[in-house]
Structures are given as structure tokens and as C-alpha cells.
């Protein structure tokens, strides 16, 4: 039994002899079906008219898993029909990953190959779109590098990849002795799995003047066959690794068209054009920052004015002068900070509640335990809190702000002073 898909990837129709069957599992004497491996999914198609749902390497054999038990028997000749669209997609996607890695060679330091995968599906109800079979999915390459792949680097990786596609570099493959391959610094290996170097020879895929890698997958004969490549994003799957995901074919075209459409819509909403969009966004962000500063300043003035009013309404409880009331627009931290600023200067205790009754901030000059005040309020209205004896805060209260203020103003509800 031999598998020759990688050697002759353009062959999608063939005949072969059935070596053996086991329910739905079939082994042929020779097959052009690609068995899943090295990050590339298994081919799809039919054997003797029966759907092939999976192809795997098992104990030295290539096993075709069928959707149902076949009508043919060992010794018979059957026709294999590989899904041409899916095979072509995988050839383009796999070669694109090599081109992307070649771009990485030109941009990234201490580069190593950390992994690769083609994720592709053909929705049952998708049919064809304007660009051919509606194959969806993405391809990933994991770069092992000390270089931070930021937005600028990611964009440059995409640009160099598409440039190599445009340059129409020839793609070739050959088997070379294993020791010779391992001695060559220019050959990229999957350092995570070391797949493809266990035999006496290593299959090496070369992209003319661009990249050389050990690989057992199917590839196109020239980079121009890949078509456009669109980077989708990046992530960090592990220490020292950066995962770059991209699309080829229909999804790449749709992604690029969608991004362009959104850019034009954004430009129109800002009354500019796409070329001037970055400057327009910078201007908008500057205006936003200015407005945010203005709003913050106005909020501070409103808080100052509110605290001045509350100071005039301060009450006496057990020889302590209390400033109690609601203040809008502050969370627990903000209320505690402003309460701390308010004590002193004839105010011994400041207890501030947000208008919605969710947060509480308390500060004292020391005669009253601020934490005890918070505990008394949360015991009555729920929530929790904590802090120092002179500054404490609470949150998660379930009451109207005015109700909490009324509770604090009630002399009978005054907490222990912590003496």
C-alpha cells in the first residue's frame, strides 16, 4: 500500500485494487487520497461511489473510512474520486502557510516553526458563491520568535506574503537523505512534532528564492495559484509563540471586501475618505479626550458645589459634626476619596452615598470608626465593604440613596464610636 497524494497532488481521479475491508474501513493497494497529518485535513470524495468521510494512517496503512459498508470486495478494482475543490483549497492553504513562514524569515528574529493547521468546512447548504465552492475556515501558523508581532508587523507579514504570491515563485518538492536535511540550516522543521524526519529520507518543499521546509502535504506548483491571502488576526497560544491566522480563497476575498466596505462606511460617517480615515480618527479621539476632560472638570465642580451645600446642612450627633448626603456620579472609591477630603475644618464625619443607593464612602477624624458606620449600613441595606478606621467604603447596597441618608441622619441609628 502506498500513498502518493503529496507527490502527484493534481490527480483527483484514479483506479486501484481493494486490498482489504473491515465494515466501513477500506485499504487500497495504492491511493491518491491524502490521509490527515501534519496539520492538513484528510481528503474527501468517494470510493466506488460511496462517500469517504475520513482518511487516516494506521499501522503503516492508509485507511479510508466510508459513510456506509461498501458493495465491493477485496481484489476488486474501484474508482476513487477526490473532491477537487477541497483538495485544491488545501493545496493553496498549505502552500500559503509556507509563504507566510518565508515572510517571517525576513521579519522575525530567532525564528522557529511552532505548528500549523488547516481548519476548513463546507456547509451542506452553502453551495457555490461568486468565487467558487463556499469553503469556509482559516489557516494558522505558529511562529516561535523573540520578535513581538504587533499590528505593523502583522500587516507587513500579509504584504510580503501577497507579494510572493504575485511574484509567481515555482514550488517544487523532493526526497533527500534525512541526515542531509538535518544538516541544512535553511530547512524549516516543525520543532513541536518533528513530523516527517523519522524515515531515511525527508520530503522537502522548496518555494523558489523564498522558503524551504520539511513537509509531507499537498502543494500547488506555483505561488500564483494560491490567490489572495488575508490575515485574520493573531494570538498567543503559549510562551514564546505567536499564532497568526489567515484565510485564502473565497473567505480571504470576502474578508477583504467586508473590511473595505466597513472602512468606507466609517469614512463616510466622518465625512472623509478611506485614505484620510486615520487622521480623522485621531482628530475624533482628540476631541473625545477634550470632552472627557471637560466633563470630568464639570463633574468635579458639581461635586464641590454639592459638598458645600451638604456642609451647610451638617448635623450634630454625640458631639460629632456629621456631613451626610447623596452625591451623584461617583463610585465607592470616589465617594471615599471625597469624604476624606471633606473631614476636618469643623466636619468630624463625612458619609456620602451615590444617588442610586449602590455605594457608600465614609471618612472620619478618628472619633468615630468609619468601618463601623459602613457595617451598620450594610447590615441594614445589604452589600459589603471595609477599610481603615478613618476611611471605609461599601457597595452593593439595595436601597434608594435618600433612604440610606435618612438612616444615617437618625440619631438612634448612630453606630458605636469604636472607643
Amino acid at each position: 500500500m502506498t500513498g502518493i497524494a503529496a507527490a502527484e497532488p493534481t490527480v483527483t481521479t484514479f483506479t486501484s485494487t481493494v486490498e482489504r475491508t473491515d465494515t466501513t474501513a477500506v485499504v487500497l493497494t495504492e491511493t491518491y487520497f491524502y490521509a490527515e497529518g501534519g496539520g492538513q485535513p484528510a481528503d474527501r470524495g468517494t470510493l466506488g461511489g460511496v462517500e469517504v468521510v475520513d482518511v487516516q494512517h494506521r499501522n503503516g496503512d492508509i485507511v479510508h473510512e466510508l459513510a456506509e459498508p461498501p458493495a465491493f470486495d477485496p481484489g476488486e478494482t474501484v474508482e476513487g474520486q477526490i473532491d477537487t475543490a477541497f483538495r485544491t483549497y488545501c493545496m493553496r492553504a498549505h502552500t500559503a502557510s509556507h509563504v507566510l513562514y518565508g515572510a517571517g524569515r525576513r521579519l522575525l528574529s530567532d525564528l522557529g516553526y511552532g505548528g500549523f493547521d488547516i481548519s476548513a468546512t463546507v456547509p451542506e447548504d452553502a453551495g457555490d458563491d461568486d468565487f467558487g465552492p463556499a469553503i469556509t475556515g482559516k489557516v494558522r501558523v505558529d511562529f516561535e520568535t523573540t520578535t513581538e508581532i504587533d499590528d505593523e508587523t502583522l500587516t507587513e507579514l500579509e504584504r510580503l506574503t501577497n507579494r510572493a504570491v504575485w511574484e509567481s515563485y515555482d514550488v517544487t518538492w523532493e526526497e533527500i537523505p534525512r541526515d542531509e536535511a538535518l544538516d541544512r540550516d535553511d530547512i524549516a522543521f516543525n520543532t513541536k512534532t518533528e513530523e516527517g524526519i523519522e524515515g531515511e529520507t525527508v520530503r522537502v518543499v522548496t518555494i523558489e528564492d523564498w522558503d524551504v521546509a520539511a513537509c509531507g502535504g499537498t502543494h500547488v506548483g506555483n505561488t500564483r495559484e494560491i490567490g489572495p491571502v488575508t490575515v485574520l488576526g493573531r494570538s498567543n497560544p503559549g510562551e514564546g509563540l505567536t499564532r497568526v491566522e489567515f484565510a485564502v480563497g473565497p473567505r480571504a476575498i470576502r474578508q477583504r471586501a467586508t473590511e473595505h466596505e466597513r472602512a468606507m462606511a466609517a469614512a463616510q460617517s466622518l465625512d472623509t475618505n478611506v485614505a484620510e480615515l486615520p487622521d480623522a480618527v485621531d482628530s475624533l479621539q482628540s476631541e473625545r479626550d477634550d470632552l472627557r476632560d471637560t466633563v470630568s472638570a464639570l463633574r468635579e465642580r458639581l461635586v464641590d458645589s454639592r459638598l458645600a451645600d451638604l456642609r451647610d446642612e451638617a448635623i450634630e450627633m454625640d458631639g460629632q459634626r456629621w456631613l451626610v448626603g447623596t452625591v451623584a456620579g461617583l463610585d465607592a472609591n470616589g465617594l471615599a476619596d471625597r469624604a476624606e477630603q471633606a473631614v476636618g475644618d469643623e466636619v468630624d464625619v463625612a458619609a456620602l452615598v451615590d444617588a442610586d443607593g449602590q455605594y457608600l464612602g465614609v471618612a472620619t477624624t478618628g472619633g468615630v470608626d468609619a468601618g463601623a458606620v459602613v457595617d451598620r449600613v450594610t447590615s441594614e441595606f445589604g452589600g459589603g465593604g471595609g477599610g481603615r478606621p478613618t476611611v471605609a467604603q461599601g457597595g452593593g447596597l439595595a436601597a434608594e440613596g435618600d433612604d440610606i441618608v435618612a438612616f444615617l441622619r437618625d440619631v438612634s441609628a448612630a453606630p458605636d464610636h469604636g472607643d
Side-chain angles (χ1 to χ4, degrees):
M1 182 284 306
T2 60
I4 48 182
E8 300 183 53
T10 59
V11 176
T12 55
T13 301
F14 67 96
T15 58
S16 184
T17 302
V18 179
E19 185 173 297
R20 64 180 183 275
T21 64
D22 183 3
T23 314
T24 57
V26 177
V27 175
L28 305 176
T29 58
E30 182 179 79
T31 183
Y32 284 85
F33 273 89
Y34 182 84
E36 180 182 11
Q40 179 172 327
D43 274 329
R44 302 164 185 185
T46 60
L47 271 182
V50 182
E51 181 185 3
V52 176
V53 296
D54 194 16
V55 188
Q56 295 289 331
H57 290 279
R58 292 178 191 163
N59 301 319
D61 291 328
I62 293 181
V63 180
H64 309 73
E65 190 68 34
L66 306 187
E68 59 187 54
F72 51 76
D73 296 314
E76 293 186 35
T77 298
V78 293
E79 180 178 89
Q81 178 64 58
I82 296 167
D83 184 327
T84 303
F86 190 76
R87 163 67 70 81
T88 300
Y89 172 81
C90 289
M91 291 165 60
R92 290 170 171 168
H94 205 149
T95 310
S97 73
H98 287 229
V99 176
L100 180 65
Y101 190 84
R105 289 179 186 265
R106 289 152 176 81
L107 293 176
L108 311 177
S109 301
D110 303 317
L111 184 61
Y113 187 78
F116 154 79
D117 181 70
I118 298 174
S119 172
T121 59
V122 183
E124 293 182 0
D125 58 349
D128 290 354
D129 61 17
D130 292 340
F131 310 113
I135 298 174
T136 63
K138 57 189 176 183
V139 189
R140 68 165 173 85
V141 173
D142 293 344
F143 290 104
E144 193 175 59
T145 178
T146 56
T147 301
E148 179 186 358
I149 301 181
D150 55 17
D151 289 346
E152 183 178 353
T153 304
L154 195 67
T155 300
E156 185 63 7
L157 282 170
E158 181 184 79
R159 188 192 71 79
L160 286 175
T161 298
N162 284 289
R163 180 70 184 183
V165 171
W166 177 260
E167 292 295 341
S168 300
Y169 293 131
D170 286 333
V171 183
T172 58
W173 42 86
E174 62 177 334
E175 298 279 344
I176 66 174
R178 178 179 182 274
D179 292 339
E180 177 185 336
L182 292 175
D183 285 340
R184 286 176 53 178
D185 293 335
D186 63 328
I187 299 178
F189 290 91
N190 188 333
T191 57
K192 298 300 181 185
T193 65
E194 295 186 343
E195 188 169 354
I197 64 172
E198 63 277 359
E200 295 182 359
T201 62
V202 172
R203 183 171 183 266
V204 175
V205 176
T206 300
I207 300 177
E208 174 192 10
D209 298 328
W210 193 257
D211 186 69
V212 186
C215 180
T218 59
H219 293 276
V220 298
N222 191 283
T223 58
R224 65 173 173 265
E225 299 175 52
I226 296 172
V229 178
T230 301
V231 169
L232 303 175
R234 68 183 180 280
S235 60
N236 298 102
E239 186 176 357
L241 292 177
T242 300
R243 174 167 297 170
V244 175
E245 295 181 328
F246 65 93
V248 298
R251 182 175 181 184
I253 297 170
R254 287 193 295 268
Q255 180 76 17
R256 193 165 298 178
T258 298
E259 291 174 354
H260 188 57
E261 180 182 18
R262 290 173 179 172
M264 290 191 295
Q268 184 178 19
S269 68
L270 295 178
D271 194 24
T272 186
N273 54 56
V274 172
E276 301 297 328
L277 189 56
D279 290 340
V281 171
D282 287 343
S283 177
L284 189 63
Q285 288 177 329
S286 179
E287 291 178 14
R288 180 202 61 187
D289 292 341
D290 290 343
L291 287 172
R292 182 176 292 166
D293 291 341
T294 299
V295 170
S296 179
L298 289 172
R299 181 181 293 118
E300 287 296 310
R301 290 173 59 183
L302 285 172
V303 172
D304 289 340
S305 176
R306 175 60 173 160
L307 289 176
D309 292 340
L310 292 177
R311 186 177 294 273
D312 293 337
E313 301 171 6
I315 60 176
E316 293 284 343
M317 288 197 292
D318 292 345
Q320 302 288 319
R321 188 166 178 81
W322 287 59
L323 183 156
V324 182
T326 58
V327 177
L330 296 178
D331 59 11
N333 289 327
L335 291 168
D337 288 343
R338 294 312 298 262
E340 189 173 17
Q341 295 171 19
V343 294
D345 190 22
E346 300 183 354
V347 173
D348 302 302
V349 182
L352 305 178
V353 183
D354 80 301
D356 294 330
Q358 297 183 30
Y359 306 114
L360 167 69
V362 179
T364 79
T365 56
V368 172
D369 188 319
V373 176
V374 171
D375 289 343
R376 192 67 179 270
V377 172
T378 55
S379 294
E380 180 71 17
F381 299 105
R388 308 190 308 273
T390 56
V391 182
Q393 62 193 53
L397 308 178
E400 295 294 330
D402 290 340
D403 292 339
I404 299 173
V405 169
F407 176 81
L408 287 166
R409 284 176 171 271
D410 188 342
V411 175
S412 64
D416 294 335
H417 292 183
D419 294 335

